[in-house]
């Protein structure tokens, strides 16, 4: 992930776009700047000549001349604009980094989860983190991260994937049922995996039942 300080130039472009003789097309050079310091921008307008402005911000002569003609009041208004940072998120796929916008849903989830699982003491609440993810990533990345950090960070996860509460060593598992459009915790279905009722709920709801679990085990024929 790369942070581009003051990289979101939209507010500045919107302000300049309202000036007479300047349209969005003429401001493309400013919009495409990696970062813009509004104070440096107004300083350039005050002190640089037209040609320097053209070269610095990749704008036309007409646009540079219009900027040169701004009043001090307008320059102060520009300095009052607060440009926000941009977080550029990429994932290493197929031997190269790809922007998150070009990734599949699953890859996007992978990239975001990798970020939010970074060391942090704030509680993390996620609804069905397994969506669009394969079980390999859940087991080797998500669950490992939970186990590693759970003593210093609280995780509250709603899930249909047994790997998360079981391999993640959940301290508390709560079984929820829908009652009149609302989620309700089953009184006998809350506790750790060592609780017999909780264990049965995990097997029946998340694993599909003991029969399904044993059938998969027999099908895989994994040597112990």
């Amino acid at each position: 992930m790369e942070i581009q300080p003051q990289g979101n130039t939209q507010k500045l472009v919107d302000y300049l776009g309202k000036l007479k003789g300047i349209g969005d097309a003429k401001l493309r050079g400013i919009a495409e700047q990696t970062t813009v310091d509004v104070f440096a921008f107004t300083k350039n307008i005050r002190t640089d000549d037209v040609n320097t402005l053209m070269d610095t911000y990749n704008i036309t002569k007409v646009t540079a001349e219009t900027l040169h003609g701004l009043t001090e009041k307008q320059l102060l208004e520009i300095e009052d604009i607060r440009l926000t940072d941009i977080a550029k998120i990429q994932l290493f796929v197929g031997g190269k980094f790809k922007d998150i916008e070009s990734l599949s849903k699953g890859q996007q989830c992978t990239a975001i989860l990798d970020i939010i699982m970074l060391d942090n003491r704030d509680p993390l609440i996620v609804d069905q983190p397994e969506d669009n993810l394969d079980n390999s990533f859940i087991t080797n990345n998500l669950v490992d991260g939970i186990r590693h950090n759970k003593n210093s960070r609280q995780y509250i996860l709603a899930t249909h994937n047994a790997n998360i509460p079981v391999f993640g060593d959940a301290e508390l598992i709560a079984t929820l049922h829908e009652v009149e459009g609302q989620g309700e915790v089953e009184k006998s279905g809350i506790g750790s995996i060592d609780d017999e009722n909780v264990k049965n709920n995990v097997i029946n709801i998340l694993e599909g039942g003991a029969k399904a679990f044993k059938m998969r085990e027999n099908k895989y024929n994994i040597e112990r």
Side-chain angles (χ1 to χ4, degrees):
M1 183 173 69
E2 176 186 348
I3 302 296
Q4 297 177 350
Q6 299 175 310
N8 188 349
T9 60
Q10 191 58 51
K11 288 184 179 180
L12 177 60
V13 170
D14 288 344
Y15 178 89
L16 297 176
K18 296 175 183 178
L19 300 176
K20 186 177 180 180
I22 297 182
D24 289 345
K26 294 181 179 179
L27 296 172
R28 188 174 295 119
I30 295 175
E32 293 176 350
Q33 295 286 316
T34 303
T35 181
V36 175
D37 183 329
V38 291
F39 293 99
F41 180 65
T42 54
K43 181 181 178 181
N44 292 146
I45 294 173
R46 290 186 178 103
T47 61
D48 292 347
D49 57 34
V50 170
N51 290 330
T52 303
L53 282 177
M54 291 170 60
D55 293 338
T56 302
Y57 296 102
N58 191 26
I59 54 179
T60 66
K61 183 177 181 180
V62 172
T63 303
E65 289 175 341
T66 302
L67 293 178
H68 242 282
L70 294 179
T71 65
E72 186 62 23
K73 179 177 180 295
Q74 289 173 313
L75 293 176
L76 291 175
E77 288 175 346
I78 290 175
E79 291 176 351
D80 198 42
I81 296 173
R82 294 294 175 262
L83 303 182
T84 56
D85 299 341
I86 289 179
K88 185 178 181 181
I89 301 174
Q90 295 180 316
L91 188 68
F92 193 71
V93 180
K96 62 180 180 180
F97 284 99
K98 293 185 178 180
D99 291 336
I100 193 168
E101 292 82 6
S102 64
L103 300 175
S104 67
K105 286 292 184 183
Q107 291 170 332
Q108 288 177 349
C109 291
T110 298
I112 295 299
L113 275 173
D114 277 343
I115 293 172
I116 64 176
M117 290 297 293
L118 293 174
D119 288 342
N120 191 315
R121 292 189 178 275
D122 295 331
L124 178 62
I125 303 174
V126 184
D127 183 18
Q128 294 184 209
E130 70 271 15
D131 283 0
N132 300 306
L133 297 176
D134 58 60
N135 274 327
S136 176
F137 178 84
I138 292 171
T139 302
N140 298 322
N141 295 74
L142 178 60
V143 170
D144 276 357
I146 293 172
R147 289 168 61 95
H148 179 73
N149 297 312
K150 71 174 189 172
N151 289 331
S152 59
R153 188 179 193 186
Q154 183 181 30
Y155 294 94
I156 302 174
L157 308 174
T159 181
H160 294 95
N161 189 297
N163 293 326
I164 294 175
V166 177
F167 296 150
D169 287 339
E171 303 293 334
L172 183 70
I173 299 174
T175 305
L176 274 75
H177 291 292
E178 185 270 332
V179 178
E180 296 182 356
Q182 301 292 324
E184 186 174 290
V185 176
E186 183 182 307
K187 293 181 179 179
S188 62
I190 184 169
S192 71
I193 194 67
D194 298 320
D195 182 281
E196 199 63 30
N197 288 328
V198 173
K199 184 188 298 183
N200 287 333
N201 282 338
V202 169
I203 292 173
N204 292 326
I205 298 173
L206 301 185
E207 297 285 7
K211 182 179 179 180
F213 183 84
K214 290 178 181 178
M215 285 179 64
R216 285 197 298 273
E217 184 180 35
N218 292 332
K219 286 282 186 180
Y220 297 145
N221 194 27
I222 299 174
E223 294 183 4
R224 297 182 178 179

